[in-house]
Every structure is written in C-alpha cells, then in structure tokens.
Amino acid sequence: MMLKKLPIGIQTFSKIQEGNYLYVDKTGMSVDLIENGEYYFLSRPRRFGKSLFISTLQALFEGRQELFTGLAAETRWDWLVKYPVIKISFAGVARTVADMKQDVSNILQDNQERLGIDCPDTTDMGGCLRLLIKNAAEKYRQKVVILVDEYDKLILDNLDQIEMAREAREILKDLYTTIKDSDEFIKFAFLTGVSRFGKVSVFSGLNNLKDITLDKRYATICGYTQADLNTTLKAHLQQADKDRVREWYNGYNFNGEPVYNPFDILLFIDNDFIFNNYWFATGTPTFLIKLIRKHNYYLPKLADLWVNNSLIDSFQLEDIRLEPILFQAGYLTIRQVRERERGGLEYLLCMPNKEVQLAFNDMVIDYLTDQITSKNRYQDQLYAQLKNGDLNALEKTLTALFASIPYNNYVNNTISSYEGYFASVIYAYLASLGLDITAEDVTSKGRIDLTVKLKDKTYILEFKVDQPGSAMNQLMEKNYQEKYLAENNSIYLIGIDFSSIEKNITTFAWKRMTVKF
C-alpha cells in the first residue's frame, strides 16, 4: 500500500488535499465552532497546527467543496453559500515601528487584491480594515469572515525590547478593536496565537471573544490524539515503538484529552523513527532564560507547580511572569485540575513529555553552568552511577561538575548565595537524563528536596548551604525513607552540603537502606 505523503511544513489546507498529503480531519470541529458561536480566540504553542486550522476555516467559508470530499464537514455544510474572508497572518520579524506598520499595510493590501476592494489610505490601519469589512459585505452580499493567525507575533518578537513590544501592542489594538466596531457586517471571527494577553491590553474593546483555549470540547482542536495515531497515522507508525512515542511526544493537555504535537510526529516518521527533539529545536526560548535569571527562579518548582486560573490565563507586558509564558509556549502543560474551596480553579502544571524535559533542562544547564562541551560527559557519568548505585563515583562527578563551573556564572546568578542555585544545577542535570524526579516531595514528616526513582532504586536527596553535616542529619531525623519502604529494593539517602565560599560540595554523606520482603 502506498502511504500518503507527510505534510511537513505545509500549512495550507488546499495544498494538502490537492497534493494527496496525509490529513487528520478537524473539519467536524470547525463546523461545531461555527454552529455554536461567532467570535473565538484560541491559544496554542508554536507549530501546533493553528495555521492549518485557520486555512481549513477559510476553505470552508469560501465554499471549496471539492477539498472536503470524505471529510466530516462534507455533509454538514451548506456549499451553496460562500462568504468573503479577510485573513490577517503575520510572517517574518518586525523589530521597528516602521516595519510593523509596513507588515500590517502589506496584509491589508493582500486582502484588497484578493477581494477586489480598494482602500484609499492604508496608513490608517484600523480605518482601512473597517472599510474592507463594510465594502466586502456590500460587494458579496454576505457577512464577512475574519481569520487572524499569530495575532500576537509582533509583540512576541519584541519581548526583549519592551518599548517596541508596547508599540506593537498599540498597533494591534487599533487593528483588532475595529472588529468589534464592525459587528453588523461580520459572520464569524477566529483569532489565534501563542499568548493569552489580557483583553484590556491587546483587544481593548474586543471583549466579545469566546476564549476556547481551555474549553474541554475543543481540547483536541489542534494536535494529534492517540486515536489519530491509531487510525489515520497507523500505517506510517507500523514499525514504531508506540509506548516510547507516547512517552516522548504525547502529553500536551489543554483541559481535556492529551494530544501530540503534529510537528514532532511528522518529523519522527520522516527521520525513520529516531527519537529526537524535533519541536524544541525549532525555536530557542532565550527570553525564558532571561526571565529565569531576572526572577532567580528555583527550577525544581517546575516539576510540580500549582497555579491559579488567573496566572495561566494571560500575562501583561508590564508584569511578565515566567509561569504563564512556560505554559502558553508549551513547556508546561496541565496534569490535574481542582476546584478551590473559595471558588475558581487551580491547575497542576508539569512538563508534557520526555522531549521537553530533556531539551529544556539541557538548555538550562548551559545557562547555569556554561558546560556546553563537558555536559554530555557529566550526563553519561551521572546516569551510569545512579543506575549502578555507585555513590562514591557520584560524589566525585558532582564535585568535579561544580568545580568546572566558571566563576562568572556564580557572580551573574544571585541565586548562588543560597541552596537554590546548587539544587537547580543538580535538578537540571538529573531531569535532563529523563529520570523520574519529584522536587519538594511531600511526606508526613516534611518535604524532601529531591526524590529520584529508577527501576529498582530510590534516591532521596537533601541540600544545605554553609551548614556542614546538616543535610544528612535532617534525612535521618525526619525518616523520609518511610514513604518509599514498600516500593523498591534499595533506598539511598544522600545529604549534600555546599559552601557558598568554596562554591562546591563540602560534605557528601550517603546511606543505603535495603528493604527485605
């Protein structure tokens, strides 16, 4: 059987259908959206299929019936009615106000040419869009559909120069507010991007958008489900280790059924089932590193992070927080949801899968230690020593590791003055190995700094700074091992004391506790 071609990098629905590329059918969900509302907003991480979904909506509203043969929408759509579509999609990088305005002008010009409508003054961006909407409705005698792809790109591309980001926000506000003002001429509007900026900032008066980012009904609107892999993609994944595929690439949860990143799956198949960091490698989140540095972030918190609804809902340019960016960018996802007694929801965030865990912590190691060339060697040694229970060798590796960190890294990281820096380095290294790690592990006696679980071993680690011998003393006094007595054959207690002056380990004490059944 001839397999369908993989649509790697293709974001145009018509090109996929006309070229006989593989397509996971999202058209039924498209019709659901249209039947249930008029104004929508969706946030999803980069390379998650947002542009393809926008393109699918465009083909649907333009009545291109030939593209939907055999798809869910074919029998659910009135193909006799066609709507004029205004599509706003940002591409490239604009780093000045002039470039931003030129981008918007080009987009408006493209729509004028496609719809056959002239706009006398393209420098008045909001006015031009308003005229486009009104005249398109009158010319085609149908209400207008507005599709906005990557609505926030001008802002996100300038987060490292905050004044330019503010300028971008004002330009976009002028543009998007026009949509609300033109309501009488609009049939449907769908805006999508990576971030969830507060409506009072970017959208201003556009307060009638229904945010479906965390709507259970649309949790799989972008991305591949397990069922998709078992059906549409089954033939392509025949030779793949399904459990490892799930471990590496599944796990993105938007308050519903978890999904795979399509970009990962397509590249994984195309590269003969080699497990690699396909999605993570497409964009280096350098701005995240700057935020980690600015807020002196204690990295083990990322293992299991409870946040309230408002924290992941949006972020403001005047108060950029690390947690919402990590969630919206796809480096954290939802593991659990619970209702608070005083009302509202709380979300337990975690890294979605092995790809993100390995790649993100690899990147963090580079930032914290500047050990780009020696990192792989330390990782190999740490993994082998933990697997074999060779704690004496583990002490030597960790001591050498900290000794090789350049002095400037300590000076540039104010967290080095307390145990957060040392704990963050060890956490990042162990997490980059793909191990089962629990930070601030809760027991009936208190919190374990770090618990690492292998198949037949559990390591319980406690860290102290400038308190020689106190780490192991706490482990023995608290009896933290009691939580794991019934789970593994061997439990290792490891107390590590650091010196803020020597910038290294001063005491490495350990004790093996063998459990007999």
Side-chain angles (χ1 to χ4, degrees):
M1 180 182 69
M2 180 69 71
L3 296 179
K4 284 196 172 186
K5 296 178 290 185
L6 300 175
I8 298 172
I10 301 176
Q11 302 174 344
T12 306
F13 178 68
S14 59
K15 187 173 182 179
I16 288 177
Q17 292 300 88
E18 291 168 350
N20 196 33
Y21 286 91
L22 180 145
Y23 176 68
V24 172
D25 191 357
K26 303 288 183 179
T27 65
M29 208 169 291
S30 302
V31 177
D32 291 342
L33 274 178
I34 298 164
E35 290 178 346
N36 293 325
E38 296 180 353
Y39 292 86
Y40 290 100
F41 170 74
L42 174 73
S43 168
R44 285 293 185 270
R46 59 189 168 82
R47 292 189 177 274
F48 231 89
K50 301 187 297 297
S51 297
L52 177 57
F53 189 77
I54 287 280
S55 180
T56 305
L57 287 172
Q58 181 176 358
L60 194 63
F61 278 110
E62 289 177 344
R64 303 187 63 179
Q65 183 177 5
E66 73 280 3
L67 300 177
F68 292 84
T69 302
L71 299 179
E74 182 183 18
T75 58
R76 295 181 58 190
W77 191 253
D78 184 357
W79 299 105
L80 297 178
V81 183
K82 299 183 180 182
Y83 300 88
V85 176
I86 294 175
K87 183 178 178 182
I88 299 172
S89 179
F90 291 97
V93 178
R95 300 280 288 172
T96 67
V97 171
D99 287 344
M100 294 176 197
K101 290 182 176 180
Q102 186 62 56
D103 275 2
V104 176
S105 178
N106 292 342
I107 290 168
L108 294 174
Q109 184 64 41
D110 289 344
N111 280 279
Q112 291 174 69
E113 293 174 1
R114 184 165 47 81
L115 296 171
I117 296 171
D118 290 327
C119 179
D121 183 11
T122 55
T123 60
D124 177 9
M125 295 173 289
C128 183
L129 179 59
R130 185 178 294 106
L131 193 63
L132 261 176
I133 295 170
K134 179 177 181 295
N135 289 354
E138 292 174 351
K139 177 178 179 178
Y140 294 94
R141 297 183 180 181
Q142 287 290 352
K143 288 189 175 183
V144 175
V145 171
I146 299 177
L147 305 175
V148 182
D149 190 16
E150 305 294 356
Y151 88 98
D152 51 354
K153 192 173 189 302
L154 292 183
I155 300 175
L156 296 183
D157 286 345
N158 290 282
L159 285 179
D160 62 332
Q161 46 177 5
I162 200 67
E163 286 305 319
M164 281 298 105
R166 290 193 180 102
E167 293 283 356
R169 180 177 63 188
E170 294 308 308
I171 291 171
L172 295 176
K173 184 189 298 185
D174 178 42
L175 197 65
Y176 299 143
T177 301
T178 303
I179 299 174
K180 175 67 178 296
D181 295 340
S182 306
D183 177 65
E184 62 179 304
F185 303 109
I186 295 176
K187 161 71 176 176
F188 181 85
F190 189 88
L191 291 82
T192 184
V194 172
S195 63
R196 300 173 74 191
F197 285 101
K199 292 179 182 178
V200 296
S201 59
V202 181
F203 297 130
S204 188
L206 188 57
N207 55 7
N208 57 339
L209 287 174
K210 179 175 175 57
D211 187 348
I212 59 170
T213 300
L214 296 181
D215 189 320
K216 290 180 183 292
R217 295 170 295 178
Y218 305 112
T220 62
I221 199 168
C222 292
Y224 295 160
T225 65
Q226 188 62 51
D228 293 331
L229 265 67
N230 294 340
T231 54
T232 308
L233 289 144
K234 182 178 180 180
H236 290 79
L237 290 166
Q238 202 71 41
Q239 306 303 318
D241 183 332
K242 309 301 190 301
D243 291 334
R244 287 194 71 196
V245 172
R246 186 182 300 110
E247 178 188 16
W248 266 80
Y249 302 121
N250 197 9
Y252 296 95
N253 189 323
F254 303 101
N255 202 25
E257 181 183 355
V259 293
Y260 294 83
N261 183 308
F263 188 80
D264 271 328
I265 296 301
L266 296 177
L267 266 292
F268 172 73
I269 296 170
D270 191 55
N271 284 274
D272 294 326
F273 313 127
I274 295 175
F275 291 91
N276 212 334
N277 305 322
Y278 299 111
W279 171 73
F280 195 95
T282 61
T284 304
T286 53
F287 187 74
L288 295 180
I289 292 299
K290 293 179 181 179
L291 280 178
I292 291 172
R293 180 184 295 119
K294 178 181 177 181
H295 295 288
N296 299 327
Y297 204 83
Y298 180 59
L299 291 173
K301 283 176 61 178
L302 298 180
D304 289 290
L305 181 65
W306 280 102
V307 299
N308 61 35
N309 197 68
S310 62
L311 187 59
I312 63 172
D313 266 349
S314 63
F315 67 88
Q316 305 295 336
L317 287 177
E318 287 72 24
D319 182 26
I320 298 178
R321 301 284 299 277
L322 181 66
E323 293 88 349
I325 291 182
L326 286 171
F327 173 70
Q328 292 167 21
Y331 303 116
L332 292 178
T333 195
I334 297 172
R335 175 185 291 174
Q336 185 181 337
V337 184
R338 68 186 181 194
E339 188 173 352
R340 296 182 298 180
E341 288 187 14
R342 64 180 186 276
L345 299 176
E346 285 185 319
Y347 299 90
L348 177 61
L349 303 183
C350 65
M351 291 190 178
N353 50 45
K354 193 166 186 175
E355 178 197 16
V356 175
Q357 180 184 350
L358 299 186
F360 182 85
N361 284 288
D362 250 5
M363 178 190 70
V364 168
I365 290 170
D366 292 343
Y367 152 63
L368 288 176
T369 69
D370 199 26
Q371 294 171 336
I372 298 173
T373 57
S374 57
K375 175 177 61 182
N376 287 339
R377 174 167 52 86
Y378 287 131
Q379 288 170 322
D380 290 343
Q381 291 173 352
L382 290 171
Y383 185 83
Q385 290 153 7
L386 289 169
K387 182 180 178 182
N388 298 326
D390 190 347
L391 276 294
N392 292 327
L394 181 68
E395 176 185 0
K396 293 178 181 178
T397 297
L398 288 175
T399 302
L401 187 159
F402 281 104
S404 67
I405 297 176
Y407 180 76
N408 283 343
N409 285 67
Y410 290 99
V411 174
N412 294 333
N413 289 281
T414 57
I415 57 175
S416 66
S417 61
Y418 57 92
E419 68 186 60
Y421 176 78
F422 300 106
S424 290
V425 170
I426 292 179
Y427 170 81
Y429 260 106
L430 299 185
S432 74
L433 303 178
L435 300 177
D436 182 357
I437 297 177
T438 304
E440 298 186 348
D441 189 6
V442 178
T443 75
S444 60
K445 305 293 182 63
R447 291 178 181 268
I448 303 170
D449 281 344
L450 213 59
T451 300
V452 183
K453 298 175 70 174
L454 279 73
K455 184 177 180 180
D456 59 347
K457 298 176 181 68
T458 297
Y459 295 94
I460 298 174
L461 290 83
E462 186 70 26
F463 308 113
K464 296 293 181 184
V465 174
D466 297 333
Q467 302 176 56
S470 61
M472 179 53 82
N473 289 340
Q474 180 168 323
L475 287 172
M476 299 304 294
E477 290 172 4
K478 298 289 187 178
N479 289 314
Y480 288 146
Q481 71 276 7
E482 291 180 354
K483 179 176 180 178
Y484 295 101
L485 287 177
E487 292 189 16
N488 289 279
N489 293 329
S490 297
I491 298 174
Y492 294 83
L493 303 181
I494 304 175
I496 303 178
D497 300 300
F498 296 94
S499 167
S500 61
I501 297 174
E502 298 178 24
K503 306 292 190 296
N504 211 321
I505 297 170
T506 55
T507 306
F508 184 99
W510 62 275
K511 182 173 183 178
R512 178 182 177 183
M513 310 187 76
T514 304
V515 182
K516 298 180 180 180
F517 295 96

